Amino acid sequence: MRFSLNIDHIAVLRNARAETQPDPVTAALLAEQSGIDGIVVHLREDRRHINERDVRLLRELLTTKLDLEMAATDEIIKIACDIVPELATIVPEKRQELTTEGGISVIDNIIRLKSAIKDLHNADVEVSLFIEPDIDQIDAAAEINSDYIEIHTGVFANAISEEEQFDELEKIRLAAKHAKKLGLGVNAGHGLNYQNIKIFKELTDIDEVSIGQAVIARAVFVGLNEAIKEMINLIR
Ligand code: PXP
Protein backbone atom coordinates (compact mmCIF):
# COMPACT_ATOMS: atom_id res chain seq x y z
CA MET A 1 0.00 0.00 0.00
CA ARG A 2 1.44 3.39 -1.01
CA PHE A 3 1.14 6.48 1.18
CA SER A 4 0.54 9.98 -0.18
CA LEU A 5 0.69 12.95 2.16
CA ASN A 6 -1.89 15.73 1.99
CA ILE A 7 -0.16 19.00 2.89
CA ASP A 8 -3.14 21.40 2.82
CA HIS A 9 -2.82 22.01 6.58
CA ILE A 10 0.68 23.40 6.20
CA ALA A 11 -0.79 26.02 3.88
CA VAL A 12 -3.61 26.69 6.38
CA LEU A 13 -0.97 27.61 8.96
CA ARG A 14 0.92 29.80 6.50
CA ASN A 15 -2.24 31.60 5.42
CA ALA A 16 -3.47 32.17 8.99
CA ARG A 17 -1.14 35.17 9.29
CA ALA A 18 -0.73 35.88 5.58
CA GLU A 19 2.92 34.83 6.00
CA THR A 20 5.22 32.89 3.69
CA GLN A 21 6.07 30.26 6.35
CA PRO A 22 5.57 27.37 6.84
CA ASP A 23 5.93 26.83 3.12
CA PRO A 24 3.96 23.79 1.88
CA VAL A 25 6.36 23.35 -1.03
CA THR A 26 9.31 23.00 1.37
CA ALA A 27 7.22 20.56 3.42
CA ALA A 28 6.53 18.50 0.30
CA LEU A 29 10.21 18.25 -0.57
CA LEU A 30 11.09 17.25 3.01
CA ALA A 31 8.27 14.68 2.98
CA GLU A 32 9.72 13.15 -0.17
CA GLN A 33 13.06 12.77 1.64
CA SER A 34 11.19 10.98 4.44
CA GLY A 35 9.85 8.37 2.03
CA ILE A 36 6.30 9.28 1.06
CA ASP A 37 5.03 8.10 -2.33
CA GLY A 38 3.31 11.30 -3.42
CA ILE A 39 1.90 14.66 -2.43
CA VAL A 40 -1.78 15.58 -2.39
CA VAL A 41 -3.08 19.15 -2.43
CA HIS A 42 -6.61 20.47 -2.77
CA LEU A 43 -6.79 23.63 -4.84
CA ARG A 44 -10.07 25.01 -3.59
CA GLU A 45 -12.23 27.52 -5.37
CA ASP A 46 -11.76 29.95 -2.44
CA ARG A 47 -7.97 29.22 -2.22
CA ARG A 48 -8.26 28.90 1.55
CA HIS A 49 -5.03 26.92 1.76
CA ILE A 50 -3.12 25.79 -1.34
CA ASN A 51 -2.80 28.38 -4.09
CA GLU A 52 -1.71 28.32 -7.72
CA ARG A 53 1.87 29.30 -6.87
CA ASP A 54 2.13 26.21 -4.64
CA VAL A 55 0.72 23.89 -7.28
CA ARG A 56 2.96 25.23 -10.05
CA LEU A 57 6.08 24.93 -7.89
CA LEU A 58 5.12 21.43 -6.76
CA ARG A 59 4.64 20.43 -10.40
CA GLU A 60 8.16 21.61 -11.15
CA LEU A 61 9.95 20.29 -8.08
CA LEU A 62 8.36 17.01 -6.97
CA THR A 63 10.21 13.83 -7.79
CA THR A 64 7.41 11.51 -6.61
CA LYS A 65 3.97 12.49 -7.90
CA LEU A 66 1.36 15.18 -7.57
CA ASP A 67 -2.28 14.36 -6.90
CA LEU A 68 -4.38 17.49 -7.40
CA GLU A 69 -7.66 17.31 -5.51
CA MET A 70 -10.23 19.51 -7.19
CA ALA A 71 -13.83 20.31 -7.92
CA ALA A 72 -15.02 19.67 -11.47
CA THR A 73 -15.46 23.37 -12.28
CA ASP A 74 -14.36 24.98 -15.55
CA GLU A 75 -11.79 27.19 -13.80
CA ILE A 76 -10.03 24.39 -11.92
CA ILE A 77 -10.20 21.93 -14.83
CA LYS A 78 -8.43 24.54 -16.97
CA ILE A 79 -5.69 24.93 -14.34
CA ALA A 80 -5.30 21.14 -14.02
CA CYS A 81 -5.01 20.74 -17.80
CA ASP A 82 -2.32 23.41 -17.80
CA ILE A 83 -0.34 22.03 -14.84
CA VAL A 84 -0.74 18.32 -15.73
CA PRO A 85 -0.49 16.60 -12.32
CA GLU A 86 0.03 12.82 -12.32
CA LEU A 87 -3.51 12.50 -10.98
CA ALA A 88 -6.55 14.75 -10.65
CA THR A 89 -8.89 13.59 -7.88
CA ILE A 90 -12.35 15.05 -8.32
CA VAL A 91 -14.17 15.79 -5.07
CA PRO A 92 -17.46 17.50 -4.27
CA GLU A 93 -16.72 20.96 -2.90
CA LYS A 94 -18.89 23.16 -0.75
CA ARG A 95 -17.66 26.58 0.17
CA GLN A 96 -18.88 26.39 3.78
CA GLU A 97 -17.45 22.97 4.67
CA LEU A 98 -14.40 22.60 6.94
CA THR A 99 -13.16 19.69 4.84
CA THR A 100 -14.54 17.44 2.11
CA GLU A 101 -17.56 15.84 3.73
CA GLY A 102 -18.12 12.78 1.58
CA GLY A 103 -17.87 11.28 -1.86
CA ILE A 104 -19.25 12.77 -5.03
CA SER A 105 -22.32 11.14 -6.58
CA VAL A 106 -21.08 10.03 -10.00
CA ILE A 107 -24.60 8.94 -10.90
CA ASP A 108 -26.11 12.37 -10.20
CA ASN A 109 -23.30 14.27 -11.96
CA ILE A 110 -22.60 11.88 -14.80
CA ILE A 111 -22.67 14.37 -17.69
CA ARG A 112 -20.44 16.94 -15.99
CA LEU A 113 -17.97 14.31 -14.77
CA LYS A 114 -17.81 12.55 -18.14
CA SER A 115 -16.94 15.85 -19.80
CA ALA A 116 -14.36 16.71 -17.08
CA ILE A 117 -12.68 13.31 -17.49
CA LYS A 118 -12.58 13.76 -21.27
CA ASP A 119 -10.95 17.20 -20.94
CA LEU A 120 -8.41 15.94 -18.39
CA HIS A 121 -7.58 12.86 -20.48
CA ASN A 122 -7.05 15.09 -23.52
CA ALA A 123 -4.43 16.95 -21.45
CA ASP A 124 -2.80 13.63 -20.40
CA VAL A 125 -4.06 13.78 -16.83
CA GLU A 126 -5.29 10.59 -15.18
CA VAL A 127 -8.44 10.97 -13.13
CA SER A 128 -9.71 9.62 -9.83
CA LEU A 129 -13.22 10.12 -8.45
CA PHE A 130 -13.67 10.45 -4.67
CA ILE A 131 -16.72 8.32 -3.91
CA GLU A 132 -18.47 6.33 -1.20
CA PRO A 133 -17.85 2.56 -1.09
CA ASP A 134 -20.92 1.92 -3.24
CA ILE A 135 -21.02 -0.59 -6.10
CA ASP A 136 -23.36 1.52 -8.29
CA GLN A 137 -21.09 4.55 -7.96
CA ILE A 138 -18.07 2.43 -8.86
CA ASP A 139 -19.85 1.06 -11.94
CA ALA A 140 -20.70 4.61 -13.00
CA ALA A 141 -17.07 5.71 -12.47
CA ALA A 142 -15.85 2.88 -14.71
CA GLU A 143 -18.52 3.64 -17.31
CA ILE A 144 -17.27 7.22 -17.75
CA ASN A 145 -13.63 6.08 -18.02
CA SER A 146 -12.25 7.14 -14.68
CA ASP A 147 -8.78 5.67 -14.15
CA TYR A 148 -9.03 5.45 -10.36
CA ILE A 149 -11.52 5.81 -7.57
CA GLU A 150 -10.69 7.12 -4.13
CA ILE A 151 -12.91 5.51 -1.52
CA HIS A 152 -14.14 7.86 1.21
CA THR A 153 -13.06 6.36 4.54
CA GLY A 154 -14.67 9.01 6.77
CA VAL A 155 -17.51 6.77 7.94
CA PHE A 156 -15.02 4.03 8.85
CA ALA A 157 -12.81 6.56 10.66
CA ASN A 158 -15.69 8.12 12.60
CA ALA A 159 -17.39 4.82 13.57
CA ILE A 160 -18.30 4.87 17.24
CA SER A 161 -18.45 1.12 17.81
CA GLU A 162 -16.20 -1.73 16.75
CA GLU A 163 -19.16 -3.33 15.00
CA GLU A 164 -19.85 -0.21 12.93
CA GLN A 165 -16.18 0.08 12.09
CA PHE A 166 -16.01 -3.56 11.01
CA ASP A 167 -19.16 -3.23 8.85
CA GLU A 168 -17.76 -0.18 7.08
CA LEU A 169 -14.39 -1.86 6.60
CA GLU A 170 -16.16 -4.79 4.97
CA LYS A 171 -18.07 -2.41 2.68
CA ILE A 172 -14.78 -0.78 1.67
CA ARG A 173 -13.15 -4.17 1.12
CA LEU A 174 -15.95 -5.32 -1.23
CA ALA A 175 -15.99 -1.97 -3.03
CA ALA A 176 -12.23 -2.08 -3.58
CA LYS A 177 -12.43 -5.65 -4.87
CA HIS A 178 -15.22 -4.72 -7.28
CA ALA A 179 -13.31 -1.67 -8.55
CA LYS A 180 -10.20 -3.77 -9.12
CA LYS A 181 -12.23 -6.26 -11.15
CA LEU A 182 -13.34 -3.39 -13.39
CA GLY A 183 -9.70 -2.39 -13.90
CA LEU A 184 -9.80 0.74 -11.76
CA GLY A 185 -6.94 1.85 -9.52
CA VAL A 186 -8.10 2.13 -5.91
CA ASN A 187 -7.06 4.86 -3.50
CA ALA A 188 -8.65 5.64 -0.14
CA GLY A 189 -8.66 8.43 2.37
CA HIS A 190 -10.23 10.72 4.94
CA GLY A 191 -9.81 10.42 8.66
CA LEU A 192 -7.16 7.70 8.54
CA ASN A 193 -4.80 7.95 11.51
CA TYR A 194 -2.11 6.13 13.50
CA GLN A 195 -4.73 3.91 15.19
CA ASN A 196 -7.20 2.96 12.48
CA ILE A 197 -4.52 2.42 9.80
CA LYS A 198 -3.54 -0.80 11.60
CA ILE A 199 -6.71 -2.61 10.53
CA PHE A 200 -7.17 -0.61 7.35
CA LYS A 201 -3.90 -1.77 5.87
CA GLU A 202 -5.24 -5.34 5.78
CA LEU A 203 -7.30 -4.31 2.73
CA THR A 204 -5.08 -5.67 0.00
CA ASP A 205 -7.05 -4.17 -2.91
CA ILE A 206 -6.27 -0.59 -1.83
CA ASP A 207 -3.33 0.72 -3.85
CA GLU A 208 -2.76 3.95 -1.95
CA VAL A 209 -3.93 5.90 1.08
CA SER A 210 -4.06 9.69 1.23
CA ILE A 211 -3.53 11.04 4.74
CA GLY A 212 -3.28 14.63 5.93
CA GLN A 213 -4.67 15.73 9.29
CA ALA A 214 -3.26 12.96 11.50
CA VAL A 215 0.29 13.21 10.16
CA ILE A 216 0.50 17.01 10.08
CA ALA A 217 -0.99 17.20 13.60
CA ARG A 218 1.62 14.72 14.87
CA ALA A 219 4.36 16.61 13.03
CA VAL A 220 3.65 19.67 15.19
CA PHE A 221 4.94 17.67 18.19
CA VAL A 222 7.57 15.33 16.77
CA GLY A 223 8.56 16.93 13.46
CA LEU A 224 7.51 16.06 9.94
CA ASN A 225 10.19 13.43 9.32
CA GLU A 226 9.35 11.47 12.49
CA ALA A 227 5.57 11.74 11.93
CA ILE A 228 5.94 10.40 8.38
CA LYS A 229 8.33 7.60 9.39
CA GLU A 230 5.94 6.45 12.13
CA MET A 231 3.08 6.26 9.60
CA ILE A 232 5.23 4.48 7.01
CA ASN A 233 6.22 1.90 9.64
CA LEU A 234 2.54 1.20 10.34
CA ILE A 235 1.54 0.97 6.70
CA ARG A 236 4.36 -1.19 5.32
N1 PXP B 1 -8.82 12.34 0.50
C1 PXP B 1 -9.64 13.39 0.21
C2 PXP B 1 -10.42 13.32 -1.05
C3 PXP B 1 -9.71 14.50 1.06
O1 PXP B 1 -10.52 15.52 0.76
C4 PXP B 1 -8.92 14.52 2.23
C5 PXP B 1 -8.96 15.72 3.12
O2 PXP B 1 -8.36 16.80 2.52
C6 PXP B 1 -8.09 13.42 2.49
C7 PXP B 1 -8.07 12.34 1.62
C8 PXP B 1 -7.22 13.37 3.70
O3 PXP B 1 -8.04 13.35 4.83
P1 PXP B 1 -7.39 13.57 6.27
O4 PXP B 1 -6.86 14.98 6.28
O5 PXP B 1 -8.53 13.39 7.20
O6 PXP B 1 -6.31 12.55 6.44
Side-chain angles (χ1 to χ4, degrees):
M1 196 179 272
R2 297 189 302 267
F3 162 36
S4 274
L5 180 70
N6 179 309
I7 55 165
D8 292 343
H9 289 308
I10 309 251
V12 169
L13 198 53
R14 172 192 62 187
N15 297 0
R17 291 267 300 262
E19 292 283 354
T20 55
Q21 298 295 331
D23 181 13
V25 178
T26 307
L29 299 180
L30 290 171
E32 284 191 325
Q33 301 286 314
S34 302
I36 52 108
D37 298 296
I39 291 291
V40 187
V41 290
H42 185 173
L43 184 66
R44 280 183 170 266
E45 191 191 3
D46 62 10
R47 307 294 195 271
R48 70 171 75 154
H49 35 60
I50 291 295
N51 59 37
E52 270 182 74
R53 167 265 184 202
D54 302 331
V55 179
R56 288 188 189 281
L57 276 177
L58 288 169
R59 168 69 296 168
E60 256 183 62
L61 298 174
L62 289 185
T63 52
T64 54
K65 63 191 175 69
L66 177 62
D67 175 357
L68 183 66
E69 252 183 58
M70 51 179 271
T73 62
D74 291 346
E75 186 218 0
I76 306 286
I77 290 170
K78 196 158 168 264
I79 294 171
C81 289
D82 186 35
I83 286 172
V84 193
E86 273 77 15
L87 189 67
T89 297
I90 297 180
V91 299
E93 188 175 300
K94 292 188 219 123
R95 200 169 261 256
Q96 310 305 336
E97 68 193 356
L98 292 177
T99 179
T100 313
E101 286 167 350
I104 196 165
S105 171
V106 185
I107 295 164
D108 293 342
N109 295 283
I110 199 125
I111 293 170
R112 188 161 56 96
L113 291 175
K114 192 172 177 179
S115 149
I117 291 174
K118 197 163 155 238
D119 290 347
L120 289 160
H121 279 171
N122 283 340
D124 263 344
V125 179
E126 287 200 302
V127 181
S128 179
L129 299 176
F130 183 56
I131 59 177
E132 298 300 322
D134 178 295
I135 301 297
D136 293 337
Q137 296 290 351
I138 294 167
D139 287 342
E143 198 182 303
I144 58 172
N145 284 329
S146 194
D147 305 285
Y148 288 77
I149 55 162
E150 180 178 332
I151 299 176
H152 175 229
T153 54
V155 178
F156 161 77
N158 292 328
I160 46 173
S161 66
E162 256 183 37
E163 191 187 353
E164 194 192 332
Q165 191 185 48
F166 181 80
D167 287 351
E168 193 60 22
L169 193 68
E170 188 57 14
K171 232 193 239 178
I172 295 170
R173 193 179 67 76
L174 293 174
K177 195 171 173 196
H178 184 73
K180 269 288 157 74
K181 242 194 242 160
L182 297 178
L184 292 159
V186 183
N187 299 337
H190 218 282
L192 296 176
N193 59 37
Y194 293 89
Q195 283 74 44
N196 61 28
I197 196 68
K198 291 173 197 157
I199 47 168
F200 195 80
K201 73 164 185 197
E202 308 300 332
L203 301 185
T204 49
D205 283 319
I206 306 282
D207 297 312
E208 181 167 315
V209 286
S210 160
I211 308 178
Q213 166 79 25
V215 175
I216 304 302
R218 179 122 184 95
V220 171
F221 297 121
V222 301
L224 190 57
N225 180 51
E226 176 63 23
I228 289 170
K229 290 264 161 68
E230 286 175 15
M231 186 56 85
I232 287 175
N233 283 338
L234 292 172
I235 292 174
R236 293 179 194 149

